[in-house]
């Protein structure tokens, strides 16, 4: 979604010719149309602002295989001033850098605009060989690239060049040729999506997003289910920590901290899980192991109200364990079993009360004794 929203601003920079804000940006950054269509580090300068860098290189954009934003725009050559020769689709459905990668490698200037690679003679556009690709010592194209260059030259020779008109841009993902965030989102969603999630994770996330809890806790649960938390083993793989020396679990100090160990295998956290599991009195419905992986097994709880309460307690448990872990890592605090349990009980009660808004149906004393029977109509 971030990429789609940023792409909206790119499109506005390309097509909104009369906007005052666009004139200000042009005065600051030069030919913004050309730079937006190129969309990589080559058009950035050291003095450019962070905002401009984020616009040119949005999250994950530079890691994509192809230039999908520019690839979705069909360019019609007018004067050729705003269309990059190699980075835009102006001579067919492909960019020249993709259609002729070898010639692109030997290009004199990868950022050249279309208008700078030739001159108009007798009403026809005359392409300059030396401005397209580097030539050998004899001043001609190297023999091994001659066939490729001839093919490119043939395409260019037939191009209708309207030197007196402005360049035109059409968004190919919509029938009317006008950019929309939704069309861009659908396009990038397909391109950026990784391998499909396993069915059990999809089911777990489906249950998670139905829970009424603070958004930050839901987001944390989402990262936990997708195994995206920055545990020590993950940081070691990125070279941030030294594996085997700085990756020991802060709770037990006996094994490496991995996601599975931290939340399901550590003797300290297992003690917390046993206490919470006994408090909820879910033993007749699921096992302790099932409770630790609650959102993968919560369909076993037939009562919707109890399932909802159990989910909030589970979120409160993993959230408290993660906060305690961070406090030990970054603040050198010591772990207190009692404090951790107190936070789990209080936070889950507070979150549920904020949702139901019926404190009289569940005072804190009753919550401590029979949590699953609370909040019943």
């Amino acid at each position: 979604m971030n990429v789609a929203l940023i792409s909206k601003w790119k499109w506005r920079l390309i097509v909104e010719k009369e906007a005052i804000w666009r004139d200000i940006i042009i005065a600051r950054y030069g030919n913004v149309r050309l730079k937006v269509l190129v969309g990589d580090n080559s058009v950035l300068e050291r003095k450019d602002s962070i905002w401009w860098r984020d616009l040119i290189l949005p999250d994950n954009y530079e890691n994509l295989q192809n230039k999908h934003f520019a690839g979705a725009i069909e360019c019609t050559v007018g004067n050729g001033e705003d269309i990059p020769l190699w980075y835009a689709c102006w001579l067919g459905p492909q960019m020249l850098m993709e259609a002729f990668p070898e010639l692109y490698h030997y290009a004199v200037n990868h950022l050249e605009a279309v208008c700078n690679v030739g001159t108009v003679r007798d009403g026809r556009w005359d392409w300059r060989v030396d401005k397209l690709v580097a030539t050998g010592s004899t001043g001609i194209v190297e023999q091994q690239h001659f066939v490729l260059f001839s093919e490119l030259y043939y395409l260019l020779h037939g191009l209708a060049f309207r030197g007196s008109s402005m360049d035109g841009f059409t968004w190919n993902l919509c029938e009317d040729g006008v950019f929309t965030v939704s069309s861009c989102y659908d396009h990038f969603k397909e391109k950026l999506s990784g391998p499909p999630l396993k069915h059990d994770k999809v089911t777990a996330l489906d249950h998670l997003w139905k829970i009424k809890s603070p958004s930050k806790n839901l987001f944390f649960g989402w990262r936990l289910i997708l195994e995206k938390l920055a545990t020590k083993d993950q940081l070691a793989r990125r070279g941030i920590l030294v594996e085997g020396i700085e990756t020991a679990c802060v709770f037990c100090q006996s094994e490496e901290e991995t996601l599975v160990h931290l939340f399901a295998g550590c003797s300290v956290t297992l003690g917390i899980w046993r206490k919470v599991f006994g408090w909820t009195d879910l033993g007749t419905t699921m096992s302790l192991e099932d409770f630790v992986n609650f959102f993968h097994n919560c369909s076993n709880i037939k009562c919707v109200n109890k399932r909802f309460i159990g989910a909030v307690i589970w979120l409160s448990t993993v959230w408290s364990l993660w906060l305690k872990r961070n406090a030990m890592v970054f603040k050198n605090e010591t772990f207190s079993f009692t404090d951790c349990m107190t936070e789990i009980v209080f936070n889950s009660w507070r979150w549920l009360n904020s949702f139901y808004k019926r404190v009289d149906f569940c005072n804190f004393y009753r919550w401590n004794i029979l949590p699953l029977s609370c909040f019943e109509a």
Side-chain angles (χ1 to χ4, degrees):
M1 179 56 76
N2 285 341
V3 176
L5 291 173
I6 291 175
S7 296
K8 175 184 178 181
W9 285 101
K10 289 187 172 187
W11 176 255
R12 293 185 66 184
L13 282 170
I14 290 174
V15 300
E16 295 188 11
K17 305 173 185 178
E18 307 300 328
I20 297 177
W21 61 268
R22 183 177 179 274
D23 294 335
I24 296 174
I25 295 175
I26 290 175
R28 174 67 174 82
Y29 299 106
N31 191 335
V32 294
R33 277 180 168 176
L34 188 143
K35 290 185 176 182
V36 161
L37 288 172
V38 171
D40 63 30
N41 279 310
S42 59
V43 298
L44 296 176
E45 301 178 8
R46 293 184 63 184
K47 63 181 180 180
D48 288 344
S49 66
I50 295 176
W51 172 84
W52 180 249
R53 290 176 180 273
D54 288 342
L55 185 71
I56 295 296
L57 300 174
D59 292 343
N60 296 324
Y61 193 85
E62 61 185 345
N63 297 324
L64 295 179
Q65 295 279 329
N66 302 304
K67 303 287 182 181
H68 293 296
F69 175 75
I73 297 176
E74 179 183 346
C75 303
T76 304
V77 179
N79 54 29
E81 294 179 358
D82 299 322
I83 300 177
L85 177 72
W86 298 100
Y87 286 86
C89 300
W90 59 277
L91 196 61
Q94 270 189 313
M95 305 174 189
L96 290 188
M97 65 178 292
E98 296 172 351
F100 300 94
E102 291 187 58
L103 291 181
Y104 170 77
H105 178 73
Y106 287 93
V108 176
N109 181 6
H110 290 159
L111 304 181
E112 197 71 84
V114 171
C115 66
N116 295 328
V117 293
T119 56
V120 178
R121 293 182 181 178
D122 300 327
R124 296 177 60 86
W125 185 249
D126 182 27
W127 298 98
R128 291 283 303 278
V129 175
D130 59 321
K131 285 185 174 291
L132 284 171
V133 294
T135 57
S137 57
T138 59
I140 61 175
V141 179
E142 298 292 345
Q143 184 66 34
Q144 64 267 34
H145 301 114
F146 183 77
V147 175
L148 286 173
F149 177 77
S150 299
E151 183 180 350
L152 173 59
Y153 187 85
Y154 175 78
L155 291 173
L156 297 176
H157 186 70
L159 177 69
F161 187 85
R162 300 184 299 276
S164 60
S165 62
M166 300 296 291
D167 298 321
F169 303 91
T170 303
W171 182 250
N172 284 335
L173 303 183
C174 292
E175 292 184 2
D176 59 1
V178 179
F179 176 93
T180 63
V181 173
S182 60
S183 66
C184 188
Y185 173 77
D186 292 339
H187 184 60
F188 276 108
K189 182 180 179 181
E190 178 182 350
K191 299 295 183 181
L192 287 174
S193 59
L197 291 176
K198 294 181 179 179
H199 177 71
D200 62 329
K201 291 188 182 294
V202 174
T203 303
L205 292 174
D206 183 55
H207 287 303
L208 173 69
W209 295 125
K210 295 176 181 177
I211 304 304
K212 301 296 182 181
S213 289
S215 57
K216 66 178 180 181
N217 303 107
L218 291 174
F219 179 68
F220 175 79
W222 172 73
R223 293 181 63 194
L224 176 57
I225 292 172
L226 293 181
E227 302 177 8
K228 297 297 183 181
L229 292 179
T231 49
K232 289 186 176 181
D233 65 319
Q234 296 285 350
L235 296 176
R237 291 192 188 98
R238 302 173 194 171
I240 299 174
L241 298 178
V242 179
E243 188 172 0
I245 299 177
E246 300 176 301
T247 57
C249 173
V250 293
F251 290 127
C252 66
Q253 293 293 327
S254 59
E255 295 186 38
E256 182 183 49
E257 181 190 277
T258 65
L259 194 71
V260 174
H261 172 78
L262 184 64
F263 290 101
C266 176
S267 58
V268 176
T269 55
L270 278 176
I272 293 292
W273 282 117
R274 291 190 188 96
K275 186 70 173 178
V276 173
F277 184 62
W279 168 55
T280 59
D281 195 24
L282 282 170
T284 59
T285 307
M286 59 173 54
S287 65
L288 173 61
E289 183 179 353
D290 289 340
F291 182 68
V292 173
N293 298 283
F294 185 84
F295 283 103
H296 294 280
N297 307 289
C298 62
S299 57
N300 295 334
I301 305 175
K302 302 307 178 182
C303 177
V304 176
N305 195 62
K306 290 183 177 181
R307 186 191 310 164
F308 179 84
I309 295 173
V312 174
I313 292 174
W314 184 89
L315 276 174
S316 178
T317 302
V318 294
W319 177 248
S320 296
L321 287 173
W322 184 250
L323 291 183
K324 291 297 183 184
R325 176 261 186 197
N326 288 343
M328 295 174 70
V329 171
F330 300 110
K331 299 180 181 179
N332 293 320
E333 294 184 7
T334 57
F335 179 76
S336 170
F337 189 95
T338 303
D339 289 347
C340 186
M341 277 302 304
T342 300
E343 289 182 11
I344 292 170
V345 173
F346 178 75
N347 285 335
S348 54
W349 176 75
R350 180 168 56 90
W351 296 348
L352 283 164
N353 272 320
S354 65
F355 170 67
Y356 281 103
K357 301 186 185 302
R358 299 186 306 198
V359 182
D360 55 318
F361 286 172
C362 181
N363 58 47
F364 191 65
Y365 174 77
R366 183 183 177 190
W367 175 252
N368 270 282
I369 300 174
L370 298 170
L372 293 187
S373 65
C374 297
F375 302 100
E376 295 179 349

